[in-house]
Amino acid sequence: MARKDKPTNLSPRIVNRRATHDYHIEEKLEVGVMLRGSEVKSIRHSQVSLAEGYVSVDPRTQALMLYNVDIALYPQAGDNQHEPKRPRRLLAHRRQIENLLGKTTTKGVTIVPLAMYFVRGMVKLEVGLGTGKKTHDKRQDMKKQVADREMRRAMTRKVI
């Protein structure tokens, strides 16, 4: 009997739409996250908010840390609950961490979480190196989105 593989699109992909609105993303990197069991269960149920989250490099331990990401409590965990907004360690190679540390020393550059998803059962976080957008940049992006939407609508209409 042939083995049937499970579809891979069943796991959630939590996206931080706020990050692309507030920052110009220049470089992306996929890192692992150190989590507790109840946190993984909450992530599987898409109970995560990446909107206020940010990443920084701890200079003493040379480790990436994820702050202000709210992973909701998992009700069935009982006494083994986690703290919803605790700092979490991110897993990356030393060279990647040093590279990010060097780039974030310039003014206005920060590391923001972009998306959280599962790869072969492991939680991965996509982080981006971003520079803050000014108000006029945000307005230009919104105008471009509206123009693109109008072009797509015009292309789908039938010509008589």
Side-chain angles (χ1 to χ4, degrees):
M1 184 169 199
R3 182 179 151 211
K4 294 183 181 179
D5 290 330
K6 293 181 183 178
T8 58
N9 59 355
L10 294 179
S11 61
R13 180 175 172 90
I14 297 106
V15 179
N16 185 2
R17 293 176 18 201
R18 179 101 190 199
T20 55
H21 183 267
D22 291 340
Y23 299 97
H24 291 289
I25 305 299
E26 296 158 4
E27 187 178 327
K28 294 180 181 179
L29 177 68
E30 181 182 81
V31 295
V33 188
M34 287 181 68
L35 297 170
R36 301 176 116 204
S38 59
E39 291 173 323
V40 175
K41 293 282 194 173
S42 288
I43 293 170
R44 285 219 184 266
H45 288 96
S46 300
Q47 301 294 316
V48 181
S49 173
L50 296 173
E52 296 91 29
Y54 65 96
V55 177
S56 70
V57 180
D58 187 12
R60 288 181 296 131
T61 60
Q62 289 291 315
L64 285 175
M65 297 297 287
L66 178 66
Y67 297 100
N68 267 1
V69 170
D70 187 16
I71 299 178
L73 296 175
Y74 186 64
Q76 288 84 5
D79 294 336
N80 299 326
Q81 285 293 353
H82 61 275
E83 190 178 326
K85 284 199 171 189
R86 73 177 180 91
R88 293 164 180 92
R89 187 175 179 153
L90 300 179
L91 307 172
H93 293 286
R94 185 170 21 106
R95 270 184 261 120
Q96 293 172 333
I97 295 172
E98 290 170 356
N99 184 19
L100 289 175
L101 180 62
K103 290 182 179 179
T104 55
T105 55
T106 58
K107 186 178 178 185
V109 178
T110 186
I111 307 169
V112 291
L114 300 175
M116 189 176 279
Y117 48 90
F118 285 89
V119 174
R120 294 188 301 272
M122 302 289 198
V123 177
K124 300 292 181 178
L125 182 72
E126 184 178 40
V127 296
L129 201 63
T131 55
K133 285 185 183 179
K134 304 274 191 251
T135 308
H136 60 84
D137 293 335
K138 293 178 187 178
R139 284 192 206 118
Q140 285 178 344
D141 286 347
M142 289 169 62
K143 286 179 187 177
K144 184 179 176 195
Q145 287 174 354
V146 169
D148 289 344
R149 192 177 311 126
E150 290 297 322
M151 280 190 346
R152 275 187 268 124
R153 267 192 211 138
M155 295 297 285
T156 58
R157 290 187 190 136
K158 292 183 180 180
V159 179
I160 298 175

